[in-house]
Amino acid sequence: MSGGTPKGKSSAARGRRMAEKARGPRREAKPEVVADDPHADIGVEARLVAGVLLNAALEKRTGLDEALSQSPAKDLDGPDRAFARAVAMAALRRLGEIDQILDRRLQKAPPAPVRTILRVALAQTLVLGTPAFAAVSTAVKLAERDAKTRPYKNLVNAVLRGVDRDGPGLTTAESNLPDWLAARWRATYGEAALLGLALATREEPATDLSAKPSVDLAALAQDVEGEVLPGCTVRTGKRGDVAGWPGFEAGDWWVQDAAAAVPARLLNAKAGETVLDMCAAPGGKTLQLAATGAEVVALDRSPARLKRLKQNFDRTGLPVEVVAVPAEDWEDARVFDAVLLDAPCTATGTYRRNPEVLRATRPAEVAKLADVQHRLLDVAAEKVKPGGRLVYCVCSLEREEGETQVIAFLRRNPAFRTVPAVPAEIGAPDEALTPEGWLRILPSQWAERGGVDGFFAARLERIEG
């Protein structure tokens, strides 16, 4: 696959590198594939599950995780289950490009189960570098297993062998974005930024770690084969179960995207201050706040999500008061020196890690969640002491959930004013600073370091008196 790239030599070179990576290793020999290939059964179940996961993710936002916890995914052994997930995620990241390739080779649309088999196979060969003979033979075997797809096994064989023989051809990164989102982002951020956002869909992100203040970051980075980013996040390309990494059992660190760590730093909590973290789960920002020595109350409506948060508190040994109740229903007279509201949102900024959000999000959700954010901001304001601070943030790229919320909030709450952010002090990209002093972090920023999740954050202060 290859596609359009932003203007500028560095962006163009990055695009070429991505395209070469997407094509996978070149193969001189292309063995004939037949249905009774003795290797055809190797990994068939894992490929079947990859298709199940892919379709579950396309059906709803939480579909992939739910499907992983159910049969047939839960019946696979660890390596096969991990492989199935990797294939599904690769297909989700490159879905538009994969469909571009297929549409050029299909005279008419095949049944949905056949397209799933083709998508899974191309995700393996073009993104993950799986040898063509293995991917094609298992795809044919999968087609044979079901009466609905069996008549199309020769089509599956011909299409996949043709792509392997001729190459994928030209594809565009923008095709990985739903049309309605691409139109919104083009209008909001401009054509060049849209191309950068589209290129970011192709990338599997690294793992970012936030650590306690007492941890030697240079030593941690060395232990996990990573690097220290601005703002003291440690980024590593290391894969696998993080529970086995150095420092995990000791509670030295927790997994948290570099951009997700910015809002808590922006709040600038200090030892001895009282801090309220609204909508706290899964708890990365709460851990950051507790690590400062502040007295933290973590509020969330979901007891199930708070369970994970409590597990992290136990592991790290950081003290936090946890309250399982919707913020609007919390009857507590306390006010706080600092309040962090990481509001429920469409999460469109997290598509690098959660590519399913691009397909699962619907236009109507933006307005629906904007109404929730409006209400929660007013609740949060009531919890801020005079002279205290409020940070509002969302992991969304939609203005209605970010800038528009803060503009409207300041109009109806004249007791608050913006305190401009200083990106260099909190580990945010310099280009994220808006004219108003807020932060608009895009996934295409810090591209040379591997990108970040998309976030909006604004720091507000209640005027004393």
Side-chain angles (χ1 to χ4, degrees), residues 188-211:
T188 301
Y189 303 114
E191 190 67 36
L194 175 66
L195 289 170
L197 292 170
L199 285 172
T201 64
R202 293 172 164 175
E203 294 294 282
E204 181 181 4
T207 300
D208 292 344
L209 310 177
S210 291

Side-chain angles (χ1 to χ4, degrees), residues 404-416:
T404 302
Q405 284 292 344
V406 175
I407 291 170
F409 173 80
L410 290 173
R411 285 175 179 167
R412 66 181 184 270
N413 289 277
F416 282 83

Side-chain angles (χ1 to χ4, degrees), residues 59-94:
E59 288 170 5
K60 62 178 180 177
R61 185 185 301 267
T62 58
L64 189 143
D65 288 338
E66 291 176 8
L68 274 170
S69 66
Q70 301 168 2
S71 295
K74 73 174 185 178
D75 302 327
L76 293 177
D77 60 26
D80 281 354
R81 189 165 175 266
F83 175 76
R85 184 182 184 279
V87 172
M89 293 291 280
L92 284 168
R93 290 194 174 96
R94 300 294 189 101

Side-chain angles (χ1 to χ4, degrees), residues 16 46 68 87 103 130 137 164 190 219 243 279 323 329 338 368 375 413:
R16 287 193 294 272
L68 274 170
V87 172
D103 290 344
T130 301
S137 63
D164 182 48
C279 310
V323 181
D329 300 334
K368 180 179 179 180
R375 298 198 309 270
N413 289 277

